[in-house]
Structures are given as structure tokens and as C-alpha cells.
């Protein structure tokens, strides 16, 4: 059982009720086993002040995050669901809205090879235009461009999208291994970039020279397509080589 207390901003002063302008977060989490599976649950409450003198109004976010992973023979999986409810109390703030996101990653271990697929979905709130973000560390299983160098639907991550990926690893020997992934993202309905698409092909080869030294070479190729924007041309394809 895990308890997390965060003081994200301390704004107290001699102004009456100024402590209401603090940013505080409280989390209660649990990790437990269910046979061959691991269950992770997290409940969160975040309070954000209005930063207005003599105003004790606060914006609050409540969230629930459920994670489950396990392995059954050669099959393994990891899945996560998160729901956020945002309530705005301060004057001039937007209407309340809720967002949710879901991810499932499943794979088969086939001796020297591992084959898998990822599905993820992030909701969009039509009235506010807000979209669920997958986090700035989400790139499927390692896309070199999508979700890594370039976001989709947002500045630095994948927002409000349906995401698919298929990937594979192959260990040719104890020292030599290869990996590749094809990923595809499409903006969901009511998103600002509705029906825009982004696809990415990434591959990496690694050679372990010693326990301390590994050489790697990688390649990524990606393309974004603006479906309903006649004013902006589709960008040139992006390429990454390292």
C-alpha cells in the first residue's frame, strides 16, 4: 500500500485564505498479485488554487488508474485504464469535463523471437476541446519519431487519438538482436485535428560487444496526413537515422 503526498506549489502569505491557492496532490495506491497477474490501483485527488487574492476557490481533479499485467506460458500482457474528472470552481474557468484513456499491450514469446501488438485510445471532450494525453514517454514500443521526436494532437505527446502498433524482437545470437515496429495513430472524433493520421516505421539493430559496450544502429520513417485542412499542406516525411 502506497500513500503519496505532493506539495506542487506553496503560495501561502499574509493574505487571508491564501493557502487555498496552493497546489496539492494526494494519492492512494496498491500493488497486489492475483495468481499469475499483478494488479495496480491508484486513486488521486489534485487541488489547484485560483491564485486570486481573498479567493478560496479551487480547481480539482479526481482520477482512478487501474493497471494489470501477467504472463501465461508464452503469452504476456500489460493493460492500463485511467479516468480523470476535472471540476473548475474558480471564476472564469471552463466547464467541468472528464477524460479517459486505455492501453493494451500483448505479446508472444516464440523462442528467440517476440511478437506483439499495442492498442491505445484517448478520449476527447467535445465542448472544451480537451483531449487525453498518453504521456510524454509513450511511443508504443519505441517509435523513433511518433511520440518520441514529434507529438500528435499536442506539443510533446500523443493526445486524443486511437493508436495501433505491431512490433517484433529477434535475438539472432547472445550478442546480436533486431527490433522493428510499425505504428499508426488517428485523431479521434471531436479532436481539433479530427481524422488526421500519423504513421511511423522504426527499426533497430544492436550488437553487444561486452557487458559494458553495445553498438546500435536505428532507422525511423514517419508521415503525417492532414485530412480536413485545405489551408495547410501535408508535411514532408520525417526520417531519423542514428
Amino acid at each position: 500500500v502506497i500513500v503519496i503526498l505532493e506539495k506542487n506549489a506553496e503560495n501561502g502569505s499574509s493574505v487571508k485564505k491564501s493557502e487555498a491557492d496552493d497546489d496539492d496532490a494526494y494519492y492512494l495506491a496498491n500493488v497486489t498479485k492475483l495468481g499469475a497477474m499483478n494488479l495496480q490501483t491508484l486513486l488521486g485527488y489534485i487541488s489547484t488554487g485560483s491564485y486570486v487574492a481573498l479567493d478560496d476557490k479551487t480547481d480539482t481533479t479526481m482520477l482512478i488508474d487501474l493497471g494489470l499485467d501477467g504472463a501465461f506460458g508464452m503469452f504476456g500482457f500489460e493493460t492500463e485504464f485511467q479516468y480523470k474528472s476535472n471540476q473548475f470552481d474558480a471564476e472564469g474557468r471552463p466547464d467541468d469535463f472528464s477524460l479517459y484513456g486505455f492501453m493494451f499491450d500483448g505479446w508472444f514469446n516464440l523462442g528467440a523471437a517476440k511478437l506483439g501488438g499495442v492498442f491505445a485510445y484517448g478520449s476527447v471532450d467535445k465542448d472544451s476541446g480537451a483531449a487525453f494525453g498518453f504521456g510524454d514517454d509513450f511511443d508504443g514500443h519505441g517509435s523513433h519519431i511518433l511520440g518520441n521526436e514529434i507529438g500528435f494532437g499536442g506539443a510533446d505527446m500523443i493526445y486524443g487519438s486511437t493508436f495501433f502498433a505491431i512490433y517484433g524482437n529477434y535475438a539472432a545470437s547472445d550478442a546480436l538482436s533486431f527490433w522493428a515496429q510499425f505504428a499508426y495513430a488517428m485523431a479521434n472524433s471531436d479532436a481539433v485535428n479530427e481524422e488526421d493520421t500519423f504513421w511511423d516505421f522504426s527499426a533497430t539493430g544492436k550488437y553487444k560487444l561486452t557487458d559494458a559496450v553495445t553498438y546500435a544502429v536505428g532507422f525511423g520513417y514517419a508521415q503525417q496526413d492532414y485530412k480536413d485542412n485545405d489551408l495547410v499542406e501535408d508535411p514532408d516525411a520525417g526520417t531519423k537515422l542514428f
Side-chain angles (χ1 to χ4, degrees):
V1 176
I2 304 164
V3 177
I4 303 170
L5 306 178
E6 291 183 352
K7 173 67 70 174
N8 296 313
E10 176 63 75
N11 299 304
S13 69
S14 60
V15 177
K16 184 180 179 181
K17 296 183 178 180
S18 63
E19 66 275 4
D21 286 337
D22 294 349
D23 288 357
D24 299 306
Y26 311 89
Y27 299 97
L28 176 64
N30 175 256
V31 180
T32 187
K33 291 187 68 66
L34 298 174
M37 298 182 294
N38 302 299
L39 174 66
Q40 303 95 26
T41 60
L42 182 144
L43 302 176
Y45 176 84
I46 301 97
S47 175
T48 304
S50 64
Y51 303 101
V52 177
L54 302 179
D55 184 352
D56 60 356
K57 304 292 186 181
T58 57
D59 298 337
T60 59
T61 299
M62 299 189 68
L63 68 88
I64 180 171
D65 195 306
L66 300 175
L68 188 67
D69 65 80
F72 302 90
M74 65 180 183
F75 175 72
F77 77 96
E78 179 182 9
T79 186
E80 184 175 0
F81 172 81
Q82 185 179 104
Y83 175 83
K84 292 182 178 181
S85 176
N86 300 276
Q87 296 183 331
F88 301 98
D89 190 26
E91 184 176 352
R93 300 289 283 147
D95 293 335
D96 299 346
F97 64 86
S98 298
L99 296 171
Y100 66 91
F102 172 79
M103 184 278 296
F104 180 85
D105 180 7
W107 60 86
F108 289 92
N109 288 306
L110 307 171
K114 177 181 178 181
L115 300 176
V118 181
F119 171 81
Y121 180 90
S123 70
V124 178
D125 181 73
K126 180 179 180 179
D127 295 331
S128 67
F132 185 91
F134 294 168
D136 58 11
D137 61 347
F138 181 86
D139 52 17
H141 261 268
S143 290
H144 292 320
I145 299 178
L146 174 58
N148 190 327
E149 300 289 350
I150 301 174
F152 180 65
D156 59 354
M157 69 176 77
I158 303 172
Y159 283 89
S161 302
T162 300
F163 176 93
F164 301 91
I166 54 174
Y167 62 90
N169 300 329
Y170 179 70
S173 68
D174 290 341
L176 182 63
S177 62
F178 301 95
W179 164 88
Q181 173 176 274
F182 176 81
Y184 178 86
M186 180 177 67
N188 291 329
S189 176
D190 297 325
V192 175
N193 56 339
E194 182 176 352
E195 295 187 355
D196 287 0
T197 60
F198 198 125
W199 63 266
D200 177 295
F201 174 77
S202 299
T204 301
K206 293 184 178 181
Y207 185 79
K208 182 179 178 181
L209 188 63
T210 70
D211 289 340
V213 179
T214 298
Y215 289 101
V217 59
F219 170 77
Y221 186 89
Q223 177 69 63
Q224 183 165 357
D225 181 17
Y226 299 123
K227 287 292 186 181
D228 296 321
N229 193 333
D230 297 330
L231 301 178
V232 181
E233 293 184 0
D234 293 342
D236 294 335
T239 304
K240 180 178 179 179
L241 179 66
F242 67 89

